[in-house]
């Protein structure tokens, strides 16, 4: 029992910090660079993203193990996973608008962006590829979500500070954001070897 | 991009040129970025993923343009997604069968082509409003721009990081090992973007594209 | 580069506020001066190589500063001493044996990319010298971890390669460390005066403390970051550092070895890249200490000070942001 | 939304999904046998490389180093190879089938995992009947570029040849040449390969052959 719990914890830490999706697996970069300009949007995105991440990891695990494997249609996993994510995002969009317009006003805009994020499709694919069980899939999903949120928040705070900086003109905007990411990624290599997966 | 080009009058060359340079997916529009680092630690991988994207983009554009009158506007996006993921699945299976060595390294990123906004964007913005042939060229241009960017980035990373090009030894050393690691990837893209902006500002009097980001 | 000027206690905005060119350059040169004892010990132990490596770093830094400012059409401010100081710090962070191109490339990364591309002095997010060293460590992992036994090298001894105390501790355990150095007292003394393998300037704890005391006296640095940093490392390595269970670690070895003293007093306190409010500085110090202990005890690298400071540099804007208006007092006590 | 729209949408979806389904099923039926066959071929080739002189390599069973699935194999050499020509009755073509007479066990091949610096290193090694290492190869790893990844270099791999269990230990000093020489600055990866991976695999093999292992030893029927 303790061992299993440790494994879940290791998966979570590995997914969020050591193999952080943005800094070492280079996924979700589009949104990472897109919405990290302002702190407020970054936080809104982080919350929405983590929630969607965990739920879609769970949904796709269930579908993968109870529908796709018995029917032997695992070769259709790309189509089915993106379908699940898109359907879930669409559904929560509709439900949120009806049930909690306030929350929708705050987070709804990010929902639309999410279904084209690479991480959201990568996590179910990796879960399927690594043969994680249900809890492992969940903790991998949660770790990925938190890791992305962490990256986004750090980046947003740095970019707000950079607004004031006298960056050489060709490097303003995107280029300096990429170079910042490079340097953060370099700092994150300090975690390497922390957990072997 | 002009969304509603008068279909017959625009030359295909013009479409190609705009899509490759002016609206370069990675360096100018700054979208579909994930593979720009993930697969660019060797020229071969960058090239292969680029080719996969070219294939998917062209096929998607052609398919969308061919059936554009048939699709009900309300379910347009889900249908596009279906078309994209269908073609991606096909490329995925073909590469798993015939390009195995490369597939082992970049397999995950092939599958992730599904979530490339650039592909959906071209389908939505161009192919769904134009005839098959212009759509084909638009897809070709946009994805060739993408391929070019991938090859450019991987050229620097492989040369500096491994001292090789396409697996052939150029310098018998690993000059800057860091270039094949994540940090090096981000750094090369950042410096190249800055460099292109500098050229744009210096020689063409442009403003230097900030790149709105997005996905 | 370690400054907490009096005015800053009241100013809460993120970027530092430098009164004038003159005072910046005065601070820079004073800090450089405070590194003199450490540099002298480096020369004593590692011989002419110490001068050679540090000189290369300084030249590289000054050139990079001039080059980027020239390209960007800015005013050339090489004389303000900040690039010189970065060069010296970088040099003190290098092993004595590195080939000539490593200091040059590392100083280019430090000054041109980490500092000037971000807008120059006052705007950099990361500590330039540490970033240069991290870049070099990843790029040339072998050259950057080949250590020589310190000798009074001007006598012309041939040096032998060896592992750093932390490297031995990580791979073999504390018994091996005692085997190499003799008994515990000898170990502590040798760590204190600097007779051990390591980067040029990090070995002699005494020399570093003299410099730090000078800066404290001059009020160019405050105690908040170094003390919370060192205390956290000591506490955590004491609790978790031992193989036989909790509270069996040897905090003194951990405090005296590696780049901890150099990092805590001279690098973490860099006023551009650490939080500007006192509470933030304590959070920053605790964070550095926690990450250092984590990396040293659990992760792959034997030494974690550099990565810990760089990682906390990422969080500096966030800390500043959150501690500006309200107080995160919860973790304050642990730092005392 | 009018009734006509609903019909149109449904029709849209049904037709497109059917078309996509048919297309994909077609590609799948074409590629999946190839993928399957190539997987087997590649595995066989990797095993053959470990023991080029073997005529026949069969799986002996599974085992689980670090809770990861691995396999081990027995390699045989034929006393004599008979070639039979068989006519396929369905297609009418003739095939040559090799038949092994008096096979003799010449060694074993074991797949194993070593816990490295930042990854589990997937290793394949072969031993002769006296449990002396013949060859080893790294199948997969994610060790640090420039340091740990030198476990894939020839000089490192070659020094395993001729080592027995006693000498599968890593020497850092560079003086004890009868042991495995560590890669400078990558002692963890070197140890992971030599001690955690291969030495443990060899110990397991010895136990398994004596029948001392419970799980995994699902011996190939009647031949082990």
């Amino acid at each position: 029992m303790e061992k299993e719990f440790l494994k879940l914890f290791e998966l979570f830490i590995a997914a969020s910090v050591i193999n952080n999706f943005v800094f070492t697996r280079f996924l979700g970069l589009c949104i990472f660079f897109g919405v990290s300009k302002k702190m407020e949007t970054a936080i809104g995105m982080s919350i929405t993203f983590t929630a969607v991440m965990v739920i879609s990891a769970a949904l796709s695990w269930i579908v993968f193990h109870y529908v796709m494997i018995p029917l032997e249609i695992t070769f259709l996993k790309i189509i089915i996973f993106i379908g699940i994510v898109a359907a879930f995002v669409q559904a929560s969009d509709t439900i949120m608008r009806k049930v909690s317009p306030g929350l929708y006003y705050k987070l709804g805009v990010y929902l639309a962006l999410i279904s084209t994020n690479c991480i959201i499709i990568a996590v179910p694919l990796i879960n399927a590829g690594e043969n994680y069980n249900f809890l492992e899939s969940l903790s991998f999903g949660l770790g990925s979500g938190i890791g992305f949120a962490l990256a986004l928040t750090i980046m947003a705070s740095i970019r707000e500070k950079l607004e004031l900086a006298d960056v050489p003109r060709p490097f303003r905007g995107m280029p300096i954001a990429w170079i910042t990411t490079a340097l953060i990624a370099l700092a994150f290599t300090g975690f390497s070897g922390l957990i072997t997966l | 991009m002009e969304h509603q080009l008068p279909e017959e009058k625009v030359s295909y060359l013009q479409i190609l040129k705009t899509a490759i340079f002016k609206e370069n997916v990675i360096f100018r529009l700054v979208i579909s970025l994930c593979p720009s680092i993930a697969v660019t630690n060797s020229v071969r991988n960058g090239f292969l993923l680029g080719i996969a994207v070219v294939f998917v983009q062209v096929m998607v554009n052609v398919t969308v343009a061919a059936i554009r009158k048939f699709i009900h506007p309300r379910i347009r996006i889900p249908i596009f997604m279906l078309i994209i993921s269908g073609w991606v699945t096909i490329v995925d299976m073909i590469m798993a069968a015939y390009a195995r060595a490369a597939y082992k390294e970049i397999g995950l990123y092939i599958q992730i082509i599904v979530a490339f906004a650039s592909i959906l964007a071209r389908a939505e913005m161009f192919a769904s409003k134009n005839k098959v042939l212009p759509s084909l060229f638009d897809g070709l241009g946009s994805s060739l721009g993408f391929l070019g960017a991938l090859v450019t980035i991987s050229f620097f990373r492989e040369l500096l990081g491994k001292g090789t090009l396409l697996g052939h030894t150029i310098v018998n050393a690993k000059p800057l090992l860091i270039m094949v690691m994540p940090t090096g990837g981000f750094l090369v893209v950042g410096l190249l973007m800055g460099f292109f902006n500098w050229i744009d500002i210096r020689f063409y009097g442009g403003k230097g594209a900030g790149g709105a980001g997005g996905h | 580069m370690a400054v907490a000027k009096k005015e800053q206690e009241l100013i809460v905005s993120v970027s530092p506020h430098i009164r004038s060119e003159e005072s910046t350059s005065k601070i820079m040169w004073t800090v450089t001066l405070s590194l003199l004892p450490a540099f002298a010990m480096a020369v004593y132990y590692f011989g002419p190589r110490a001068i050679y490596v540090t000189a290369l770093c300084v030249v590289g830094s000054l050139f990079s500063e001039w080059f980027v400012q020239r390209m960007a059409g800015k005013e050339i401010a090489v004389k303000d001493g900040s690039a010189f100081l970065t060069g010296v710090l970088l040099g003190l962070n290098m092993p004595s044996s590195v080939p000539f191109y490593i200091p040059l490339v590392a100083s280019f990364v430090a000054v041109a990319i980490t500092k000037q591309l971000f807008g120059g002095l006052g705007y950099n997010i990361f500590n330039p010298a540490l970033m240069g060293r991290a870049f070099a460590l990843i790029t040339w992992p072998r050259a950057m971890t080949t250590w020589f036994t310190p000798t009074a090298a001007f006598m012309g001894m041939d040096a032998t390669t060896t592992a750093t105390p932390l490297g031995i501790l990580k791979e073999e355990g504390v018994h091996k460390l005692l085997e190499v150095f003799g008994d515990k007292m000898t170990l502590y003394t040798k760590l204190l005066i600097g007779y051990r393998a390591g980067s040029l300037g990090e070995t002699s704890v005494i020399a570093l403390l003299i410099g730090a005391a000078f800066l404290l006296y001059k009020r160019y640095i405050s105690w908040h970051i170094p003390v919370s940093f060192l205390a956290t490392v000591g506490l955590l390595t004491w609790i978790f550092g031992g193989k036989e269970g909790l509270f069996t670690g040897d905090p003194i070895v951990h405090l005296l070895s590696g780049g901890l003293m150099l990092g805590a007093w001279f690098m973490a306190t860099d006023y551009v890249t650490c939080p500007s409010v006192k509470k933030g500085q304590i959070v920053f110090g605790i964070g550095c200490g926690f990450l250092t202990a984590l990396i040293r005890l659990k992760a792959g690298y034997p030494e974690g000070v550099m990565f810990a400071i760089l990682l906390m540099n990422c969080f500096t804007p966030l800390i500043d942001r959150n501690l500006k208006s309200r107080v995160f007092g919860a973790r304050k006590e642990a730092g005392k | 939304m009018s009734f006509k729209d609903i019909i149109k949408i449904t029709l849209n979806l049904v037709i497109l999904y059917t078309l996509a389904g048919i297309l994909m099923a077609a590609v799948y039926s074409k590629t999946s046998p190839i993928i399957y066959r190539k997987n087997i071929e590649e595995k066989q080739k990797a095993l053959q490389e470990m023991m080029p002189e073997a005529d026949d390599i069969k799986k002996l069973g599974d085992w689980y180093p670090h809770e990861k699935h691995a396999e081990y194999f027995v390699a045989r050499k034929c006393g004599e190879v008979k070639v039979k020509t068989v006519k396929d009755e369905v297609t009418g073509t003739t095939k040559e089938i090799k038949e092994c007479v008096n096979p003799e066990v010449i060694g074993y091949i074991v797949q194993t995992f070593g816990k490295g610096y930042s990854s589990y290193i997937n290793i394949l090694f072969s031993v002769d009947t006296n449990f002396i290492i013949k060859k080893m190869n790294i199948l997969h790893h994610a060790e640090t570029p420039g340091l740990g990844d030198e476990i894939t270099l020839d000089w490192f791999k070659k020094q395993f040849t001729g080592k027995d269990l006693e000498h599968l230990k890593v020497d850092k000093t560079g003086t004890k040449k009868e042991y495995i020489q560590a890669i400078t600055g990558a002692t963890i990866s070197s140890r992971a390969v030599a001690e955690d991976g291969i030495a443990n695999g060899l110990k397991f093999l010895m136990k398994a052959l004596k029948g001392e292992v419970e799980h995994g030893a699902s011996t190939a029927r009647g031949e082990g």
Side-chain angles (χ1 to χ4, degrees), chain A residues 34-57:
Chain A
V35 301
S36 60
K37 263 195 202 139
K38 283 269 166 301
M39 195 59 164
E40 216 168 289
T41 47
I43 289 175
M45 187 72 202
S46 301
I47 297 169
T48 325
F49 188 87
T50 310
V52 172
M53 188 81 260
V54 174
I55 296 169
S56 64

Short mmCIF file of all heavy atoms in Angstrom, two decimals, chain A residues 34-57:
data_model
loop_
_atom_site.label_atom_id
_atom_site.label_comp_id
_atom_site.label_asym_id
_atom_site.label_seq_id
_atom_site.Cartn_x
_atom_site.Cartn_y
_atom_site.Cartn_z
N GLY A 34 1.28 31.87 -25.49
CA GLY A 34 0.12 32.68 -25.83
C GLY A 34 -0.49 33.41 -24.65
O GLY A 34 -0.83 34.58 -24.75
N VAL A 35 -0.64 32.71 -23.53
CA VAL A 35 -1.39 33.33 -22.44
C VAL A 35 -0.54 33.72 -21.24
O VAL A 35 -1.06 34.01 -20.18
CB VAL A 35 -2.57 32.45 -21.95
CG1 VAL A 35 -3.52 32.17 -23.07
CG2 VAL A 35 -2.06 31.18 -21.32
N SER A 36 0.79 33.70 -21.41
CA SER A 36 1.61 34.03 -20.24
C SER A 36 1.98 35.51 -20.19
O SER A 36 2.89 35.91 -19.50
CB SER A 36 2.87 33.17 -20.21
OG SER A 36 3.64 33.38 -21.36
N LYS A 37 1.24 36.33 -20.93
CA LYS A 37 1.60 37.74 -20.92
C LYS A 37 1.11 38.45 -19.67
O LYS A 37 1.76 39.33 -19.14
CB LYS A 37 1.00 38.42 -22.15
CG LYS A 37 2.00 38.53 -23.28
CD LYS A 37 1.50 39.51 -24.32
CE LYS A 37 2.17 39.25 -25.65
NZ LYS A 37 1.24 39.35 -26.76
N LYS A 38 -0.07 38.05 -19.24
CA LYS A 38 -0.66 38.70 -18.06
C LYS A 38 -0.89 37.66 -16.98
O LYS A 38 -1.35 36.56 -17.25
CB LYS A 38 -2.00 39.35 -18.42
CG LYS A 38 -1.85 40.65 -19.18
CD LYS A 38 -1.80 41.84 -18.23
CE LYS A 38 -1.32 43.10 -18.90
NZ LYS A 38 0.02 43.01 -19.49
N MET A 39 -0.62 38.05 -15.75
CA MET A 39 -0.76 37.15 -14.63
C MET A 39 -2.19 36.63 -14.49
O MET A 39 -2.42 35.45 -14.28
CB MET A 39 -0.35 37.88 -13.35
CG MET A 39 -0.11 36.96 -12.22
SD MET A 39 1.18 35.81 -12.69
CE MET A 39 1.60 35.21 -11.11
N GLU A 40 -3.13 37.54 -14.64
CA GLU A 40 -4.52 37.16 -14.40
C GLU A 40 -4.96 36.06 -15.36
O GLU A 40 -5.54 35.04 -14.95
CB GLU A 40 -5.40 38.38 -14.59
CG GLU A 40 -6.56 38.44 -13.64
CD GLU A 40 -7.18 39.81 -13.72
OE1 GLU A 40 -6.56 40.77 -13.24
OE2 GLU A 40 -8.28 39.90 -14.28
N THR A 41 -4.67 36.24 -16.65
CA THR A 41 -5.05 35.21 -17.61
C THR A 41 -4.31 33.92 -17.34
O THR A 41 -4.87 32.83 -17.48
CB THR A 41 -4.76 35.66 -19.05
OG1 THR A 41 -3.45 36.18 -19.10
CG2 THR A 41 -5.74 36.67 -19.52
N ALA A 42 -3.04 34.04 -16.92
CA ALA A 42 -2.26 32.83 -16.65
C ALA A 42 -2.89 32.02 -15.54
O ALA A 42 -3.01 30.79 -15.62
CB ALA A 42 -0.83 33.20 -16.27
N ILE A 43 -3.36 32.71 -14.50
CA ILE A 43 -3.97 31.98 -13.39
C ILE A 43 -5.29 31.35 -13.81
O ILE A 43 -5.55 30.17 -13.53
CB ILE A 43 -4.16 32.92 -12.18
CG1 ILE A 43 -2.78 33.22 -11.58
CG2 ILE A 43 -5.07 32.30 -11.13
CD1 ILE A 43 -2.79 34.21 -10.47
N GLY A 44 -6.11 32.11 -14.53
CA GLY A 44 -7.38 31.55 -15.02
C GLY A 44 -7.14 30.32 -15.86
O GLY A 44 -7.77 29.28 -15.68
N MET A 45 -6.17 30.43 -16.76
CA MET A 45 -5.84 29.30 -17.62
C MET A 45 -5.37 28.11 -16.79
O MET A 45 -5.77 26.97 -17.05
CB MET A 45 -4.73 29.73 -18.58
CG MET A 45 -4.41 28.71 -19.63
SD MET A 45 -5.75 28.67 -20.82
CE MET A 45 -5.50 27.05 -21.48
N SER A 46 -4.52 28.37 -15.80
CA SER A 46 -3.98 27.28 -14.98
C SER A 46 -5.07 26.48 -14.32
O SER A 46 -5.07 25.25 -14.35
CB SER A 46 -3.05 27.84 -13.91
OG SER A 46 -2.01 28.54 -14.50
N ILE A 47 -6.03 27.19 -13.71
CA ILE A 47 -7.11 26.50 -12.99
C ILE A 47 -7.93 25.65 -13.96
O ILE A 47 -8.10 24.44 -13.76
CB ILE A 47 -8.02 27.52 -12.28
CG1 ILE A 47 -7.21 28.30 -11.24
CG2 ILE A 47 -9.21 26.84 -11.66
CD1 ILE A 47 -7.94 29.49 -10.68
N THR A 48 -8.40 26.30 -15.03
CA THR A 48 -9.22 25.58 -15.99
C THR A 48 -8.47 24.38 -16.54
O THR A 48 -8.99 23.27 -16.65
CB THR A 48 -9.59 26.51 -17.17
OG1 THR A 48 -9.77 27.81 -16.67
CG2 THR A 48 -10.82 26.04 -17.86
N PHE A 49 -7.21 24.63 -16.88
CA PHE A 49 -6.40 23.61 -17.52
C PHE A 49 -6.25 22.38 -16.63
O PHE A 49 -6.46 21.25 -17.06
CB PHE A 49 -5.04 24.18 -17.84
CG PHE A 49 -4.21 23.28 -18.67
CD1 PHE A 49 -4.31 23.31 -20.05
CD2 PHE A 49 -3.35 22.38 -18.08
CE1 PHE A 49 -3.57 22.46 -20.81
CE2 PHE A 49 -2.59 21.52 -18.85
CZ PHE A 49 -2.71 21.56 -20.23
N THR A 50 -5.89 22.61 -15.36
CA THR A 50 -5.66 21.48 -14.46
C THR A 50 -6.93 20.65 -14.31
O THR A 50 -6.89 19.41 -14.36
CB THR A 50 -5.18 21.98 -13.10
OG1 THR A 50 -4.11 22.90 -13.31
CG2 THR A 50 -4.68 20.86 -12.24
N ALA A 51 -8.07 21.34 -14.16
CA ALA A 51 -9.33 20.61 -14.01
C ALA A 51 -9.62 19.76 -15.24
O ALA A 51 -9.88 18.55 -15.15
CB ALA A 51 -10.46 21.60 -13.75
N VAL A 52 -9.53 20.39 -16.42
CA VAL A 52 -9.83 19.66 -17.65
C VAL A 52 -8.86 18.48 -17.82
O VAL A 52 -9.25 17.37 -18.20
CB VAL A 52 -9.73 20.60 -18.87
CG1 VAL A 52 -9.85 19.83 -20.16
CG2 VAL A 52 -10.83 21.64 -18.80
N MET A 53 -7.62 18.74 -17.49
CA MET A 53 -6.58 17.72 -17.61
C MET A 53 -6.94 16.44 -16.85
O MET A 53 -6.93 15.35 -17.40
CB MET A 53 -5.31 18.33 -17.01
CG MET A 53 -4.06 17.56 -17.17
SD MET A 53 -3.42 17.88 -18.78
CE MET A 53 -3.98 16.45 -19.58
N VAL A 54 -7.25 16.62 -15.56
CA VAL A 54 -7.51 15.46 -14.71
C VAL A 54 -8.75 14.72 -15.19
O VAL A 54 -8.74 13.50 -15.35
CB VAL A 54 -7.70 15.92 -13.24
CG1 VAL A 54 -8.10 14.74 -12.38
CG2 VAL A 54 -6.42 16.52 -12.73
N ILE A 55 -9.80 15.47 -15.48
CA ILE A 55 -11.05 14.81 -15.87
C ILE A 55 -10.89 14.10 -17.21
O ILE A 55 -11.32 12.96 -17.38
CB ILE A 55 -12.21 15.82 -15.91
CG1 ILE A 55 -12.43 16.36 -14.50
CG2 ILE A 55 -13.47 15.15 -16.41
CD1 ILE A 55 -13.34 17.54 -14.42
N SER A 56 -10.22 14.75 -18.16
CA SER A 56 -10.10 14.07 -19.45
C SER A 56 -9.16 12.88 -19.37
O SER A 56 -9.33 11.90 -20.09
CB SER A 56 -9.68 15.05 -20.55
OG SER A 56 -8.42 15.56 -20.29
N ALA A 57 -8.16 12.94 -18.47
CA ALA A 57 -7.32 11.77 -18.28
C ALA A 57 -8.15 10.61 -17.77
O ALA A 57 -8.03 9.47 -18.24
CB ALA A 57 -6.19 12.07 -17.30
#
